[in-house]
């Protein structure tokens, strides 16, 4: 892959597996130094080793984005090591019970904590580092539940809330040359909720590597405009 992101520092949350790992591998292949964040150190180290073996650069920080104190400590360490952040991919997310009746208060707190508060915590903690870049980009990974909702109050609520948060980030960032995009991807072949990987035809589930390449294209769009929102769906399910 052409080194179109050479010299860029990219922070990716939820980077140990699924779309987050695919994004980290793809951005590293494009020349970015990737800072990988997730709760568990072991899979993070495995992801970083794979990136290094492919000739890329990566560093890892085990951090629960729902824990504001951990986020502040991690952001300070990243700022000390890197000085700036050019790209922030807020990808960390957890599933929730599917129905209102099955959702208790602890479920709500856990899902809102990671899927919504975690995005604010990490973006706010890295704000000065994003401002220090010439032209930074924040990409927030939502899902089609952020557009159509569903039976899950915690998951749908977190993703609807993320839309409003993305707009606030975009507005605040405009004066600092920080762009923000929210992505609403449909079904991806990531093993979400324990689904088997590699079973469905590609027309029915998106390859996370392909979605990651699309994210690179977003990052390379001209700095004088921003793609506010993008909806991605498998070819077999083109409409909401």
């Amino acid at each position: 892959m052409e080194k179109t992101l050479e010299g860029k520092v990219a922070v990716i949350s939820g980077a140990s597996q699924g779309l987050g790992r695919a994004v980290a591998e793809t951005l590293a292949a494009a020349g970015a130094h990737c800072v990988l964040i997730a709760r568990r150190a072991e899979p993070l180290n495995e992801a970083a080793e794979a990136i290094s073996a492919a000739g890329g650069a990566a560093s890892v920080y085990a951090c629960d984005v729902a824990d504001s104190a951990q986020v502040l400590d991690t952001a300070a360490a990243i700022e000390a090591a890197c000085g700036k952040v050019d790209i922030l991919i807020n990808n960390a997310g957890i599933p929730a019970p599917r129905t209102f009746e099955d959702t208790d208060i602890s479920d709500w707190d856990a899902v809102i904590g990671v899927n919504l508060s975690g995005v604010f915590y990490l973006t706010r903690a890295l704000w000065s580092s994003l401002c220090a870049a010439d032209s930074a980009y924040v990409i927030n990974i939502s899902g089609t539940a952020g557009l159509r909702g569903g039976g899950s109050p915690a998951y749908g609520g977190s993703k609807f809330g993320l839309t409003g948060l993305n707009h606030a980030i975009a507005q605040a960032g405009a004066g600092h040359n920080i762009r923000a995009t929210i992505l609403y991807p449909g079904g991806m072949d990531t093993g979400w909720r324990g689904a088997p990987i590699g079973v469905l035809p590609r027309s029915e589930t998106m390859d996370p590597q392909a979605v990651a390449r699309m994210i690179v294209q977003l990052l390379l769009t001209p700095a004088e405009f921003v793609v506010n929102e993008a909806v991605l769906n498998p070819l077999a399910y083109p409409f909401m």
Side-chain angles (χ1 to χ4, degrees):
M1 179 179 289
E2 186 180 353
K3 302 294 185 181
T4 51
L5 298 177
E6 191 79 47
K8 302 292 186 181
V9 175
V11 176
I12 304 109
S13 70
S16 61
Q17 61 186 354
L19 177 62
R21 178 162 174 170
V23 170
E25 291 173 346
T26 303
L27 268 59
H33 175 93
C34 289
V35 179
L36 315 184
I37 294 175
R39 286 179 291 184
R40 296 184 296 136
E42 184 177 352
L44 271 181
N45 288 328
E46 292 173 0
E49 288 167 6
I51 287 171
S52 297
S59 53
V60 303
Y61 294 88
C63 173
D64 181 355
V65 296
D67 185 323
S68 59
Q70 287 189 38
V71 171
L72 288 171
D73 288 345
T74 298
I78 293 170
E79 186 172 49
C82 302
K84 61 161 186 168
V85 172
D86 301 281
I87 299 161
L88 172 59
I89 311 293
N90 285 306
N91 170 72
I94 60 174
R98 296 181 186 275
T99 70
F100 192 93
E101 290 81 4
D102 289 337
T103 303
D104 61 28
I105 290 173
S106 63
D107 295 321
W108 173 271
D109 289 345
V111 173
I112 296 296
V114 174
N115 296 6
L116 182 56
S117 295
V119 175
F120 173 75
Y121 294 159
L122 189 57
T123 307
R124 186 64 185 87
L126 290 173
W127 194 250
S128 61
S129 299
L130 290 161
C131 290
D134 292 333
S135 179
Y137 210 133
V138 179
I139 294 182
N140 297 308
I141 307 299
S142 180
T144 50
L147 294 170
R148 66 189 181 198
S152 173
Y155 194 78
S158 71
K159 295 304 184 180
F160 268 78
L162 185 55
T163 298
L165 177 55
N166 180 78
H167 292 173
I169 292 169
Q171 181 174 336
H176 302 283
N177 293 320
I178 299 171
R179 295 181 287 169
T181 296
I182 185 166
L183 294 189
Y184 302 98
M188 281 186 289
D189 204 13
T190 60
W192 183 251
R193 287 188 178 272
I197 296 175
V199 174
L200 293 175
R202 190 52 69 217
S203 63
E204 296 182 17
T205 183
M206 295 183 292
D207 180 356
Q209 295 287 344
V211 175
R213 291 193 294 272
M214 187 267 186
I215 288 173
V216 171
Q217 293 304 310
L218 271 178
L219 297 173
L220 296 176
T221 53
E224 61 265 26
F225 68 82
V226 60
V227 178
N228 300 118
E229 302 180 343
V231 182
L232 313 175
N233 273 313
L235 190 61
Y237 308 104
F239 303 110
M240 297 305 297

